[in-house]
Amino acid sequence: MRILASALGLVLMTGCPSTSVYRTADPIEPGSYQVGGATSIGGISDEAQETRSATGQTELMLRYGVIENLDLGLKLFVPGVEVNATYRVHRGNLWSWALLPSLSWVRSKESSATVDAINAFASLGGVASRPLGDKWHIGFGVYSGYGLYWPETGGRGHGVWVGSFALADYQLRDRWHLTPELSMYKVVSGQVPVTGGAMQTGIALRVDL
């Protein structure tokens, strides 16, 4: 158990999921694409080891509009990949609501600081957003997720987390979007991705093709 607990601590650096959203409740137009990139900084608190660590993440993203209320996305982040969707369940005069399911996979390779392991994550979130004038949108949401840590050395770890986020979307020009975001989560059961929680702030730049 001590070996497994130590290995789980390494997930902080190599096996964390991407919990960023960087989108409102409105999917992109059917048949259209959107590409973008994002960077974030933050911190993770490991209550079991009584440590705090600074973190950072870089992401590339691609979205495709499937139908009026649904788009699909692919996200590449260091060091994993995620598939996700935006499914709008309500479109009002002011507020729109959407579900945000995602699946992600991270593989850490054996090195002096890590072990060979598979990390898998599933998450379901919800976002409510509304316009503020012609160029601004704001959004608020919550999410919950499950993580599985499976090292080659044996044993398994898992965890359930809940979190929240807030974002603003600014349309720079006709096709460009600048999206700052603040998010946080707390692991409420288990120890994946960490026995504790995390907070991060980031910004994304996206363009409609």
Side-chain angles (χ1 to χ4, degrees), residues 168-188:
D169 185 89
Y170 177 69
Q171 187 170 352
L172 291 170
R173 294 186 178 180
D174 292 340
R175 299 183 298 126
W176 293 86
H177 301 262
L178 192 66
T179 310
E181 179 180 290
L182 175 66
S183 64
M184 62 192 74
Y185 69 83
K186 170 73 172 178
V187 176
V188 295

Side-chain angles (χ1 to χ4, degrees), residues 2-208:
R2 181 175 297 178
I3 294 175
L4 177 59
S6 299
L8 282 169
L10 299 174
V11 177
L12 298 182
M13 302 304 294
T14 61
C16 287
S18 172
T19 57
S20 61
V21 176
Y22 297 124
R23 61 191 191 276
T24 67
D26 296 314
I28 64 174
E29 293 296 322
S32 62
Y33 289 88
Q34 184 184 82
V35 297
T39 185
S40 63
I41 57 173
I44 293 181
S45 174
D46 187 333
E47 297 174 356
Q49 300 188 27
E50 299 182 347
T51 61
R52 296 178 183 270
S53 304
T55 63
Q57 200 164 72
T58 301
E59 305 174 7
L60 297 175
M61 57 194 78
L62 169 68
R63 308 204 68 76
Y64 174 71
V66 181
I67 56 177
E68 182 180 0
N69 292 313
L70 174 68
D71 68 24
L72 300 178
L74 175 68
K75 181 194 296 185
L76 302 178
F77 61 96
V78 181
V81 61
E82 175 186 292
V83 291
N84 56 55
T86 310
Y87 178 57
R88 185 170 55 200
V89 296
H90 172 73
R91 183 176 186 177
N93 293 330
L94 287 179
W95 290 94
S96 294
W97 303 77
L99 297 176
L100 307 173
S102 70
L103 295 171
S104 58
W105 180 85
V106 177
R107 178 68 181 271
S108 58
K109 292 292 187 177
E110 185 174 0
S111 69
S112 59
T114 63
V115 298
D116 194 349
I118 294 174
N119 306 271
F121 305 95
S123 177
L124 178 61
V127 59
S129 64
R130 59 161 294 174
L132 289 179
D134 295 333
K135 293 184 176 294
W136 284 96
H137 284 73
I138 57 171
F140 306 92
V142 295
Y143 55 84
S144 180
Y146 173 80
L148 175 66
Y149 174 70
W150 195 350
E152 189 181 59
T153 53
R156 293 184 188 180
H158 65 90
V160 175
W161 68 88
V162 294
S164 60
F165 63 91
L167 60 85
D169 185 89
Y170 177 69
Q171 187 170 352
L172 291 170
R173 294 186 178 180
D174 292 340
R175 299 183 298 126
W176 293 86
H177 301 262
L178 192 66
T179 310
E181 179 180 290
L182 175 66
S183 64
M184 62 192 74
Y185 69 83
K186 170 73 172 178
V187 176
V188 295
S189 177
Q191 49 192 169
V192 175
V194 63
T195 307
M199 177 182 292
Q200 71 174 18
T201 183
I203 191 166
L205 181 63
R206 301 170 293 129
V207 58
D208 299 320

